[in-house]
Amino acid sequence: MKRTYFMTGFPGFLATKLIERLALVPEQIDRFYLLHLPSERTSALAKKESLLEHTCLEEAQLVLLEGDITTPGLGLNTETKQRLSTEVTHLFHLAALYDLATTFDIAFRINVIGTSNVTQFAHTLHYLERYIYFSTAYVSGLRTGTVLEQNLKHAASFKNAYEETKYLAEVRFHEEVGSLPYTIIRPGIVVGHSETGETPKWDGVYFVLNALRLLKQFAPLPYAGRVNALVNLVPYDYVIAATTYLSHVPSGVRQTYHLTDPFPHGARTIYEMLHSAYYNCAPRGVVPFRLVTSLLTPRIATRLQMQRQTLDYFVHPVHYDTTNTLRDLDGTGIVCPDLAEFLPRLVDYYKIQHPEMEKTQ
């Protein structure tokens, strides 16, 4: 039986890259049903055309569906839901509000209520082989020490509403999923491609590169404090390859995976690597971390194209265990590359996309 995929989060980057990866074996695919917001119709059409151009998929294999995960039934009409109930074999739920500065109410509606609606929809799929839910490693909130893949519930606080609502969403997921065959994917901080540096998003660690670019006249810049807490950066190609494999093998059923770096680098080390790759010189001096955070007012953060909340991930001491992931990927050749090896490619790609840096040197 060929696979029929239903995917939320289209035309988002990870959803699109998953389709590209899955399309490498076109003979196993019947079609993709791609849920998108009505407001994203134009973007979804453009992304569909790009997929048709760059993959072996045919027009009929990419079906766009307007809908909304925050609406019961995902905003789909009765006829469509009946058709999906007898066709879909794999459901990928990627849609979420990823914004470290978002308010709780907005994030709760999309991340918690939205996931609950998708889970209720999953229960209507008669031939469902796998329900793949994209969570995040940061459901751990402000827990410290080592977090295991089977760990979820805790009493710690959270760094922001994004983390808290993703935690609440995963808790509710477990309450509502019942006997469905699920796989939970918990990525770390996703960055560009490990070989090309390609990325469509300039958030997370790229905020540091924004600061380096906009403060270049003051280079070399100092370290921000002496804390060297582990920071978990993973290239998107690893996340896509691992997800594709783990979502189809029997060992992935009712399993949770940390798609994080098994050997992460410290914040101070990462900053030094970014600074050295960008300026061709090491940082000089140290300023107290508290001074950096106090100076990063909303006005200055906007000017530096940064989110203040990003800094929290450079000082929080936590390590994500990857026992399940390493065990089930063993022998596949799918491994998380060392950040030290591919970080220069991320910086090179960033420079290409921000050529004003080169013009002023």
Side-chain angles (χ1 to χ4, degrees):
M1 180 179 176
K2 287 190 175 183
R3 298 163 180 165
T4 296
Y5 296 93
F6 182 93
M7 196 172 292
T8 71
F10 190 79
F13 182 72
L14 286 181
T16 302
K17 290 300 179 182
L18 268 172
I19 295 168
E20 291 179 356
R21 179 81 182 196
L22 293 166
L24 294 177
V25 192
E27 63 272 13
Q28 295 182 354
I29 298 171
D30 186 11
R31 62 176 55 86
F32 290 91
Y33 287 105
L34 307 173
L35 188 75
H36 65 87
L37 290 167
S39 61
E40 295 183 326
R41 177 68 176 175
T42 300
S43 178
L45 284 169
K47 195 65 70 174
K48 174 181 176 178
E49 289 303 314
S50 178
L51 285 168
L52 291 174
E53 181 180 350
H54 296 100
T55 69
C56 295
L57 296 172
E58 299 179 357
E59 173 82 24
Q61 291 180 291
L62 292 173
V63 181
L64 300 182
L65 297 175
E66 289 190 6
D68 187 340
I69 65 170
T70 66
T71 303
L74 310 186
L76 301 171
N77 61 44
T78 300
E79 180 182 352
T80 298
K81 286 187 289 186
Q82 289 178 343
R83 183 171 73 253
L84 295 173
S85 71
T86 60
E87 293 186 18
V88 175
T89 61
H90 293 75
L91 189 162
F92 281 89
H93 176 37
L94 294 92
L97 177 61
Y98 175 70
D99 183 351
L100 301 183
T102 187
T103 62
F104 180 86
D105 290 345
I106 295 175
F108 186 89
R109 180 172 60 87
I110 297 173
N111 295 341
V112 182
I113 301 302
T115 296
S116 180
N117 287 334
V118 174
T119 300
Q120 298 310 313
F121 169 74
H123 279 287
T124 70
L125 306 176
H126 303 316
Y127 300 103
L128 187 66
E129 297 178 16
R130 194 74 60 90
Y131 174 12
I132 303 95
Y133 170 51
F134 262 67
S135 182
T136 172
Y138 298 100
V139 293
S140 60
L142 290 175
R143 287 189 59 187
T144 58
T146 298
V147 176
L148 305 179
E149 289 157 302
Q150 59 265 35
N151 291 159
L152 176 60
K153 291 188 177 181
H154 60 82
S157 297
F158 299 88
K159 294 187 280 296
N160 49 62
Y162 166 74
E163 287 188 354
E164 184 173 6
T165 55
K166 289 296 286 184
Y167 168 79
L168 294 172
E170 191 173 331
V171 169
R172 185 177 293 194
F173 176 92
H174 280 285
E175 294 171 347
E176 298 178 346
V177 74
S179 61
L180 294 178
Y182 68 81
T183 300
I184 297 176
I185 302 296
R186 290 188 192 155
I189 301 172
V190 180
V191 296
H193 196 285
S194 63
E195 295 181 1
T196 67
E198 175 208 12
T199 181
K201 298 172 61 180
W202 304 111
D203 56 11
V205 71
Y206 294 100
F207 289 141
V208 178
L209 288 175
N210 286 342
L212 295 179
R213 173 171 57 91
L214 296 169
L215 295 173
K216 58 185 178 293
Q217 65 268 35
F218 303 110
L221 302 178
Y223 290 95
R226 300 182 183 278
V227 175
N228 200 29
L230 298 178
V231 180
N232 213 287
L233 306 178
V234 287
Y236 81 74
D237 48 307
Y238 167 68
V239 174
I240 294 300
T243 297
T244 301
Y245 178 80
L246 297 170
S247 298
H248 295 88
V249 293
S251 58
V253 174
R254 303 183 74 82
Q255 194 65 263
T256 299
Y257 297 104
H258 278 156
L259 296 192
T260 53
D261 188 345
F263 307 102
H265 294 267
R268 185 181 174 91
T269 303
I270 292 174
Y271 176 71
E272 182 176 341
M273 289 192 292
L274 288 168
H275 190 287
S276 298
Y278 205 87
Y279 292 138
N280 295 315
C281 65
R284 181 181 302 168
V286 180
V287 296
F289 187 80
R290 287 187 178 182
L291 177 61
V292 175
T293 57
S294 65
L295 291 175
L296 198 61
T297 63
R299 180 170 174 269
I300 293 177
T302 298
R303 186 172 182 180
L304 294 179
Q305 300 171 27
M306 292 186 69
Q307 281 188 321
R308 161 64 183 79
Q309 293 81 358
T310 302
L311 297 179
D312 296 334
Y313 293 86
F314 286 82
V315 294
H316 182 62
V318 63
H319 179 264
Y320 295 101
D321 176 73
T322 56
T323 297
N324 295 343
T325 303
L326 295 181
R327 179 197 64 226
D328 291 348
L329 289 179
D330 185 39
T332 66
I334 301 172
V335 296
C336 183
D338 186 348
L339 178 66
E341 295 180 0
F342 70 85
L343 183 139
R345 297 174 197 135
L346 303 183
V347 175
D348 287 344
Y349 186 84
Y350 180 91
K351 284 184 174 182
I352 291 173
Q353 302 303 314
H354 300 83
E356 63 271 24
M357 169 66 187
E358 303 306 317
K359 294 178 181 177
T360 57
Q361 287 190 324

